[in-house]
Structures are given as structure tokens and as C-alpha cells.
């Protein structure tokens, strides 16, 4: 029994997203939990999730979780705000392992750090429409005013690698104009793609607005979750398989190139799988 428990500690973390956005979460896990192994799945064939129905997102999430479970992961990070908003609570009771999404950690930090009680949230149409951030923030601070703005063009712009392009800057200015006219002091980057546009958003919003990166907060939340379940990797066992494995449903080479542009280590391969099979 003890041997099986020890083996579980050294199992990898499963991380999934609709595409490359969840790599910002994987990056934070690599930085903050360097002893943990990761199996990442990017659903690049079906990105974006933000415009799809709740039923479709739940179905996609179940397929991916089944894939990760078969890979022997010990915990799962839903590194997608839309899937966290629409699917997480639905599928949590079905799971036999710890699971964490990206919404709750970011909402908690935003509620705790706002000084004037006015918080902005940017995300996909699905995330903003679900009102999940408003609900989570109000659990911690019911008097907070929460303003949401869907920014659907950010995802394809990030996926295209146009992080500093003039088109991206112009789109960001248009999306963020309504927040500039308000007096929010906190802005949640409510899509895992958006931290890659952080410098552009910072330039537009100014230093007076605190930008909350749920990817960073999720990595800390994962650390606490693993410790709570006593399955944190202590680094005492030699790992026979790769520290980091990446799987995608399409465009493997493009994904690998993008991953290598933002991750702290070199990714030699992203394996293509047909998730619906």
C-alpha cells in the first residue's frame, strides 16, 4: 500500500487547455513546482472554446480528462477559463483525483487585493457570459462591483503569435477603452492566453491598475492541493520518463514552436492524437 502511495507521488500532473493558452499555467507550474512532472494536452483542433456551448465544452473536457486519466496523472489542472466556468463543477463529482481550475484562484486574489472594490474581468465570450468570476468574487467580497468584457480576438491573435503586433495593440485599445473610462483598480486576465499580452495591457491600463494573472495563482493553488492530499513530489525518486510531455489534437509543429517561445525549457516534440477516438 505504501509503495503504491509513493508511486502516486511521482505521477505527473495533467494540464489541459483549448490550445496554447494553458502553457502560461504550465509555465508557472514549472517555475513554482520544479519537481513535478507534467502531461499537457492542447485541443488545437477545436480552439477556441469561448464561443462554444456549455454542452460541447463539457463533452470536450470529459474526453480530455479520460485521456489524461489513462496517462496515469495524479491530479488535473483545467487550464482554461471557459472549461473551468462551464465544465469543472459538472465533472468534478465524476473524478477520482484532485482537480483545480483557473477561475477560483484568480477571483480570490482579486477580491482580496482590490482597494476600491471595483474589478474588471476580460475573457472569452463564454467565460464573461457565464458570470463565473462575478459569482466567485462575490463569495469573498459581496460588495464588489465587477465589470466584464469579452475580448474574443485576443485568442486567435495570441495563437498566431502576434503578441506585439500593431493590430493586436489597436484591438486591445478598443477592448480596454471602457475600463479606462471606469475607475477599476484591479483587472483579471480571465483567459490563459491573456498573460502573454500582459505588457500591452499594462501599457494601456497604466500602473495604477493591478493585473491579476490566474495562471500564477493557480500554480500556487495546485501546490497547496498536492500538499493537502499528500501527493506532492519530493524529488527523491528518479524519474524514468520525461519530465514534460505535450499532446495536441492538431498543428503539432506550430504548437511546439510556440511552446518553445514561452516555456523555460526546450520542447522537442508535441505528439498528435485524435482525442475523439
Amino acid at each position: 500500500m505504501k509503495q503504491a502511495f509513493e508511486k502516486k507521488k511521482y505521477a505527473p500532473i495533467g494540464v489541459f487547455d483549448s490550445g496554447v493558452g494553458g502553457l502560461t499555467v504550465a509555465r508557472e507550474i514549472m517555475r513554482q513546482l520544479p519537481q513535478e512532472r507534467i502531461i499537457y494536452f492542447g485541443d488545437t483542433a477545436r480552439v477556441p472554446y469561448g464561443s462554444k456551448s456549455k454542452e460541447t465544452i463539457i463533452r470536450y473536457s470529459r474526453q480530455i480528462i479520460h485521456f489524461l486519466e489513462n496517462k496515469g496523472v495524479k491530479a488535473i489542472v483545467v487550464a482554461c477559463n471557459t472549461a473551468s466556468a462551464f465544465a469543472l463543477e459538472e465533472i468534478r463529482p465524476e473524478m477520482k483525483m484532485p482537480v483545480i481550475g483557473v477561475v477560483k484562484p484568480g477571483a480570490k486574489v482579486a477580491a482580496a487585493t482590490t482597494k476600491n472594490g471595483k474589478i474588471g474581468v476580460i475573457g472569452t465570450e463564454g467565460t464573461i457570459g457565464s458570470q463565473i468570476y462575478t459569482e466567485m468574487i462575490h463569495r469573498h467580497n459581496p460588495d464588489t462591483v465587477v465589470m466584464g468584457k469579452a475580448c474574443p480576438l485576443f485568442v486567435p491573435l495570441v495563437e498566431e503569435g502576434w503578441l506585439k503586433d500593431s493590430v493586436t495593440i489597436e484591438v486591445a485599445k478598443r477592448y480596454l477603452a471602457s475600463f479606462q473610462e471606469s475607475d477599476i483598480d484591479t483587472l483579471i486576465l480571465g483567459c490563459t492566453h491573456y498573460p502573454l499580452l500582459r505588457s500591452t495591457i499594462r501599457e494601456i491600463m497604466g500602473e495604477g491598475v493591478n493585473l491579476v494573472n490566474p495562471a500564477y495563482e493557480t500554480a500556487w493553488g495546485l501546490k497547496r492541493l498536492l500538499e493537502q492530499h499528500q501527493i506532492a513530489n519530493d524529488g527523491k525518486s528518479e524519474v524514468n520518463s520525461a519530465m514534460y510531455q505535450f499532446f495536441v489534437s492538431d498543428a503539432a509543429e506550430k504548437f511546439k514552436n510556440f511552446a518553445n517561445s514561452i516555456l523555460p525549457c526546450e520542447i522537442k516534440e508535441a505528439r498528435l492524437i485524435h482525442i475523439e477516438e
Side-chain angles (χ1 to χ4, degrees), residues 92-159:
R92 192 191 294 274
E94 306 166 10
M95 298 186 61
K96 299 173 185 173
M97 66 185 72
V99 58
I100 185 172
V102 287
V103 172
K104 193 179 289 185
K108 184 178 179 180
V109 167
T113 56
T114 180
K115 292 183 171 60
N116 68 1
K118 295 180 180 179
I119 298 172
V121 183
I122 53 176
T124 65
E125 292 170 356
T127 299
I128 299 302
S130 75
Q131 295 284 305
I132 187 72
Y133 270 104
T134 302
E135 181 186 328
M136 290 291 179
I137 290 167
H138 284 165
R139 287 185 191 180
H140 297 285
N141 188 344
D143 296 326
T144 305
V145 175
V146 183
M147 291 165 271
K149 176 71 175 177
C151 305
L153 290 177
F154 278 171
V155 169
L157 287 168
V158 168
E159 298 259 342

Side-chain angles (χ1 to χ4, degrees), residues 75-228:
I76 288 180
V77 180
V78 184
C80 171
N81 282 264
T82 307
S84 294
F86 283 157
L88 184 55
E89 294 311 311
E90 183 89 16
I91 59 182
R92 192 191 294 274
E94 306 166 10
M95 298 186 61
K96 299 173 185 173
M97 66 185 72
V99 58
I100 185 172
V102 287
V103 172
K104 193 179 289 185
K108 184 178 179 180
V109 167
T113 56
T114 180
K115 292 183 171 60
N116 68 1
K118 295 180 180 179
I119 298 172
V121 183
I122 53 176
T124 65
E125 292 170 356
T127 299
I128 299 302
S130 75
Q131 295 284 305
I132 187 72
Y133 270 104
T134 302
E135 181 186 328
M136 290 291 179
I137 290 167
H138 284 165
R139 287 185 191 180
H140 297 285
N141 188 344
D143 296 326
T144 305
V145 175
V146 183
M147 291 165 271
K149 176 71 175 177
C151 305
L153 290 177
F154 278 171
V155 169
L157 287 168
V158 168
E159 298 259 342
E160 198 61 39
W162 293 6
L163 304 183
K164 303 280 188 182
D165 193 271
S166 60
V167 172
T168 306
I169 294 168
E170 183 58 35
V171 168
K173 284 179 179 177
R174 291 199 185 194
Y175 279 151
L176 299 172
S178 58
F179 289 123
Q180 289 179 294
E181 293 164 9
S182 69
D183 57 349
I184 62 165
D185 69 352
T186 303
L187 180 64
I188 299 174
L189 309 181
C191 172
T192 49
H193 288 71
Y194 296 2
L196 297 170
L197 300 174
R198 184 186 179 95
S199 60
T200 297
I201 295 168
R202 159 65 63 227
E203 195 172 315
I204 294 168
M205 294 305 301
E207 294 295 329
V209 175
N210 176 38
L211 301 183
V212 175
N213 177 4
Y216 177 86
E217 308 304 337
T218 299
W220 277 109
L222 173 64
K223 186 174 188 293
R224 290 190 292 269
L225 188 68
L226 296 177
E227 290 169 351
Q228 178 188 333

